[in-house]
Amino acid sequence: MATLQGKGGVSEHYAPAANAQGSAEPSEPKHAHGSPEFVSDSGDANTSEGAVTSVDELEASKRGRFAYFKTREFYIVLVLGQILALCLTSTNTFSSLLVAEGTSIPAFQTFFNYVLLNIIYTCFTLYRYGFKRWGRMVLKDGWKYLILAFLDVQGNYFTVLAYRYTTILSAQLINFFAIVTVVIVSFLFLHVRYHITQVAGILICIGGVGILIGSDHLTSATAPLNPISKGDQVKGDLFALLGAFCYGLSNVAEEFLVSKRPLYEVVGQLAFWGMIINGVQAGIFDRAYFRSATWNGKVGGYLVGYTLILAMFYSLAPLMFRLASAAFFNISLLTGNFWGVCIGVKVFGLSIHWMYPIAFVCIIGGLLVYFVGRKVLGEATKPWLGRNQEGGVTGVGTARRRVVKGATVV
């Protein structure tokens, strides 16, 4: 889910991932449009002039507890996180507006997103690989992307479904459960080890969300557009919880895949399988709601806005997974609660309590604390790729790209 080229117009290349025995898989014949194998511009990535040969050499270039703060990548990650938070808040707002118009079609609503992503990224993958190579990739790795797409579709489905029964901010607040899922799964299966400052940063961010919850309890700032019973509120919260769990699993899976494969392949396959799964699910569960839904110019505009912003979100999120991690990605999204109320002031007539700016500053402070003590590469180095990231792709945002070429990320 990211741009296909960096600012310098350098397209990403693919490094063959190591198999279970540690040996690289043999490369396949190159297609006329270009090969996804890992090569440098000069043909030999490891011997290009000025190349950095190890992670240790690169990380030794800047020292100190605030080494990562001195890099451009830190500010890119920080800003990118807020752009993603705004995108997510905007899609949540469109979901609430659709429900207010009498249109609640959680599966069908995200179908157009997968179609749009499929048109963009699968077509580009076919251009790069050719039909035969694409087919072999699907036969070999399609099951991985099928699982990723299933988790992503269910995350979208249950999150959108939650807005039928609960308030916009209630659903957003529950999304912090995705953080717990990401941290536990990353620790157990990807062998990620969190520094004390990272744990502190996560807790500070969650504390900021707690301030938001407290202010909402005092002011009732998140009153729903339509009256919601306690039973429906509980049902909606449970759907939001299930959606957050699926999102957490899909985030970890996507971080793993984009570290090893080209972005256009991952997003293209996610969209390809997601379109099929989502289409079937919409046909089964949304038929009755589709017939009874309100269809007018407003609903059409809301669906277009939802689709375009969600497609942008899907295109930018993998950059965050490469530059940082699924954990930082999720704590960055916590500021979406603040942005949600800011948007709600205009759209839903909500009011901003004086505690909201404090909560926002608290969350941003947690994001800063998270990176204290990190070295130059931050979280771009992935423990499952080897010390020098030799098992990964050398694409935009990866540590492997910087290790091999000594280049900036974008």
Side-chain angles (χ1 to χ4, degrees):
M1 301 177 188
T3 54
L4 303 177
Q5 292 187 333
K7 285 186 178 178
V10 181
S11 60
E12 64 177 56
H13 306 286
Y14 171 61
N19 59 23
Q21 287 74 35
S23 60
E25 295 177 357
S27 60
E28 300 174 6
K30 295 182 180 179
H31 188 269
H33 295 303
S35 169
E37 281 87 17
F38 162 44
V39 294
S40 70
D41 296 336
S42 62
D44 186 352
N46 293 310
T47 59
S48 60
E49 185 177 356
V52 177
T53 58
S54 73
V55 168
D56 289 334
E57 289 180 13
L58 189 58
E59 291 186 335
S61 61
K62 290 185 178 69
R63 297 183 180 275
R65 299 182 65 82
F66 300 98
Y68 189 58
F69 290 76
K70 302 173 185 177
T71 66
R72 184 173 62 174
E73 287 71 40
F74 166 72
Y75 299 97
I76 292 174
V77 165
L78 202 63
V79 172
L80 181 59
Q82 296 315 294
I83 293 174
L84 290 169
L86 279 168
C87 287
L88 188 61
T89 299
S90 299
T91 58
N92 291 338
T93 301
F94 279 122
S95 294
S96 291
L97 289 170
L98 285 168
V99 171
E101 289 292 321
T103 302
S104 179
I105 43 175
F108 185 76
Q109 183 174 322
T110 54
F111 177 75
F112 297 110
N113 170 60
Y114 292 115
V115 172
L116 179 59
L117 291 172
N118 203 39
I119 291 173
I120 297 171
Y121 291 101
T122 298
C123 288
F124 186 81
T125 306
L126 286 168
Y127 170 78
R128 292 298 303 271
Y129 289 8
F131 284 99
K132 288 185 178 180
R133 186 183 213 98
W134 183 84
R136 288 195 295 268
M137 178 271 294
V138 171
L139 290 175
K140 179 184 177 183
D141 297 321
W143 65 273
K144 301 176 186 177
Y145 295 118
L146 179 62
I147 294 173
L148 173 65
F150 177 81
L151 291 171
D152 189 74
V153 169
Q154 302 318 310
N156 283 329
Y157 177 77
F158 286 111
T159 298
V160 175
L161 184 62
Y163 291 102
R164 186 185 297 171
Y165 303 101
T166 190
T167 63
I168 180 173
L169 196 55
S170 178
Q172 287 178 326
L173 292 174
I174 293 173
N175 284 342
F176 86 87
F177 182 68
I179 300 172
V180 178
T181 303
V182 165
V183 169
I184 293 175
V185 174
S186 297
F187 181 86
L188 293 177
F189 297 100
L190 298 184
H191 308 292
V192 176
R193 296 299 178 259
Y194 295 95
H195 190 269
I196 185 63
T197 57
Q198 291 177 294
V199 176
I202 292 173
L203 294 177
I204 292 172
C205 289
I206 293 176
V209 175
I211 296 175
L212 289 176
I213 296 174
S215 64
D216 292 333
H217 179 71
L218 292 173
T219 63
S220 299
T222 57
L225 298 177
N226 299 309
I228 297 175
S229 67
K230 288 187 177 180
D232 282 347
Q233 179 78 46
V234 171
K235 186 188 297 185
D237 290 347
L238 288 175
F239 284 143
L241 191 67
L242 184 56
F245 177 70
C246 290
Y247 271 142
L249 292 178
S250 67
N251 290 163
V252 175
E254 189 172 359
E255 181 185 0
F256 176 82
L257 289 169
V258 297
S259 70
K260 287 178 166 288
R261 309 291 294 185
L263 292 180
Y264 53 82
E265 178 188 307
V266 176
V267 182
Q269 280 293 285
L270 170 60
F272 177 78
W273 295 107
M275 183 179 65
I276 296 172
I277 296 170
N278 190 260
V280 172
Q281 197 160 319
I284 296 173
F285 295 109
D286 280 359
R287 283 183 299 175
Y289 293 106
F290 187 86
R291 288 193 295 266
S292 62
T294 301
W295 297 103
N296 54 38
K298 280 187 178 181
V299 169
Y302 295 155
L303 285 174
V304 170
Y306 177 88
T307 300
L308 293 177
I309 294 176
L310 192 58
M312 183 193 304
F313 181 87
Y314 272 71
S315 297
L316 294 176
L319 272 180
M320 178 67 85
F321 295 140
R322 282 183 170 182
L323 287 164
S325 65
F328 187 79
F329 168 81
N330 278 278
I331 62 175
S332 294
L333 297 183
L334 291 178
T335 56
N337 303 313
F338 174 80
W339 298 122
V341 173
C342 290
I343 292 175
V345 168
K346 283 286 186 182
V347 179
F348 302 127
L350 303 180
S351 59
I352 297 181
H353 190 263
W354 62 269
M355 295 173 69
Y356 269 77
I358 296 175
F360 180 78
V361 171
C362 184
I363 294 172
I364 294 296
L367 298 179
L368 298 177
V369 170
Y370 184 88
F371 282 118
V372 172
R374 302 299 297 179
K375 296 181 180 179
V376 171
L377 292 175
E379 288 190 302
T381 52
K382 311 298 182 183
W384 58 88
L385 297 180
R387 178 56 190 164
N388 290 314
Q389 307 296 283
E390 57 274 7
V393 69
T394 177
V396 175
T398 62
R400 177 66 175 162
R401 184 185 182 100
R402 297 186 66 192
V403 166
V404 169
K405 301 179 72 173
T408 54
V409 173
V410 291

